[in-house]
Amino acid sequence: PLSPTFEDQWNSNSQNWPVGRGFVAGNIDGEIYCWGGEQSQPDGRDMNLPTDVVHGFNPANKAWRRIPVSNDIPAASVHSAGVVFDGSLYIFGGSENNSMNNLMNNRSNEIHSFSPSFRALRRLPVVGARPSPRECSEGWTHEGKIFFFGGWVGPEDLECFAGPDFEGVDDGGCDNLLCEFDPRANKWREVATSGPIPAPRHEFAVAQLGNRVFIHGGWDGFSMRLTDFTMLDMTFWSWTKINESGPALSRHSLSPIS
C-alpha cells in the first residue's frame, strides 16, 4: 500500500493527479489523460500508483478529474509506452515494479487501449508473434499504424521478435527494435529500415514532425547516457544521423514547434 500521506491524496475529494513518474499520458480531444506510474515515498521506497483510475486534465480550465476504470487493467503499469490513436490511448509493455535490474520484475509485451468514452481499459487480442517483453520504449503513429522503438528487455524470448542489436548483461539490457502495431487487425510486425539505425537504448526522447521521427539520447545497456540525434524518414524508411555529440540526456522530451 501507499503511505498514509499519499493514500490521502488518492482518497480525498481532490481530483488532482498525485506527483508521479513512469506513467503514460496522451492528449485526446483537448484533454490530457494520465495512467499508471510510480511514486517516491517518504521512507525512500518507490511504490506503484493505483491502476484502477485515470486522471484527466483540461488545459482550458486548468482542472483535473478522476476517472475510475475497469475491465482489463494491466498488471504492468510502470515505464509503459503510451500513444494516442483514433481517440484512444494505447498502452504497450511496462513492468510490474520499478527495478529494471530485477530479472523477476515481470515485464510485459501486452498492449491495451483506454477509451475516455467507455471508461475502460481493454486488452487487445494480438494475432501472431509480438515484440519481446519490454519497458521504457517510445512510440508514435503514422498512416493508421502505431510504432514503437527500443526499450529495456530481459533475456531473449525465442517466441517473440527483438531488435537487431542488444546491449547489456545476461539478465537485462536494451535493444533497437522498430516494430509496427496495426490497431485494426491487432497484428505486430518488425519494420525493415536502411541507414544507421540508432544503437540500443531506453528512456530516450522522441518527436514526430510529419513523415519524420527524431530520436535523441537515452541510456544504453551499460548505464551510459547517449548523445546522438537521429532522424527516421518514414517515406523511405531510412535513418540519418544528424549529430553524434549532442547533450547527454535521458528521461527527457522532444517537442515539434512547426
Side-chain angles (χ1 to χ4, degrees):
L2 298 171
S3 69
T5 300
F6 293 104
E7 284 283 7
D8 289 344
Q9 291 182 0
W10 285 95
N11 297 330
S12 69
N13 292 326
S14 173
Q15 298 291 303
N16 289 348
W17 165 253
V19 176
R21 65 185 181 211
F23 55 89
V24 296
N27 177 2
I28 302 175
D29 297 329
E31 188 166 6
I32 301 169
Y33 296 90
C34 303
W35 175 84
E38 62 186 2
Q39 189 180 72
S40 295
Q41 303 294 287
D43 61 5
R45 295 175 301 152
D46 290 330
M47 300 295 293
N48 291 7
L49 291 172
T51 56
D52 59 353
V53 62
V54 171
H55 274 73
F57 178 74
N58 188 331
N61 57 18
K62 298 180 174 60
W64 287 92
R65 65 186 179 110
R66 181 174 172 172
I67 307 167
V69 293
S70 59
N71 210 12
D72 304 324
I73 297 177
S77 62
V78 180
H79 300 307
S80 304
V83 177
V84 172
F85 173 76
D86 198 24
S88 293
L89 175 62
Y90 286 77
I91 301 167
F92 168 59
S95 66
E96 294 186 23
N97 63 37
N98 53 64
S99 174
M100 288 186 297
N101 294 319
N102 181 1
L103 182 61
M104 302 304 293
N105 72 344
N106 295 323
R107 296 180 188 91
S108 172
N109 58 358
E110 299 287 354
I111 186 164
H112 294 71
S113 66
F114 164 72
S115 169
S117 301
F118 298 102
R119 298 191 172 197
L121 284 155
R122 184 169 70 95
R123 177 180 174 272
L124 302 181
V126 170
V127 178
R130 64 179 73 199
S132 59
R134 61 192 56 232
E135 57 187 303
C136 301
S137 57
E138 297 289 344
W140 62 90
T141 64
H142 177 66
E143 295 186 344
K145 307 294 195 302
I146 305 173
F147 296 84
F148 296 94
F149 180 81
W152 186 268
V153 300
E156 182 180 7
D157 186 335
L158 297 179
E159 296 182 358
C160 303
F161 46 83
D165 303 305
F166 174 87
E167 287 185 356
V169 294
D170 290 341
D171 62 352
C174 51
D175 70 7
N176 53 358
L177 173 68
L178 176 62
C179 56
E180 172 197 282
F181 180 74
D182 184 339
R184 293 183 173 87
N186 288 330
K187 288 186 177 181
W188 289 95
R189 75 175 183 93
E190 298 179 69
V191 179
T193 59
S194 61
I197 185 171
R201 66 194 61 213
H202 63 99
E203 295 186 339
F204 53 94
V206 166
Q208 182 178 1
L209 196 57
N211 288 337
R212 298 173 295 169
V213 169
F214 299 85
I215 291 178
H216 174 261
W219 294 97
D220 68 5
F222 303 101
S223 299
M224 178 179 291
R225 285 192 176 98
L226 300 168
T227 62
D228 57 325
F229 190 42
T230 306
M231 179 188 74
L232 173 63
D233 185 330
M234 293 183 291
T235 301
F236 304 101
W237 294 104
S238 62
W239 296 95
T240 301
K241 187 81 70 176
I242 297 175
N243 190 302
E244 294 189 3
S245 56
L249 299 174
S250 62
R251 299 183 180 181
H252 58 308
S253 63
L254 292 173
S255 299
I257 302 298
S258 61

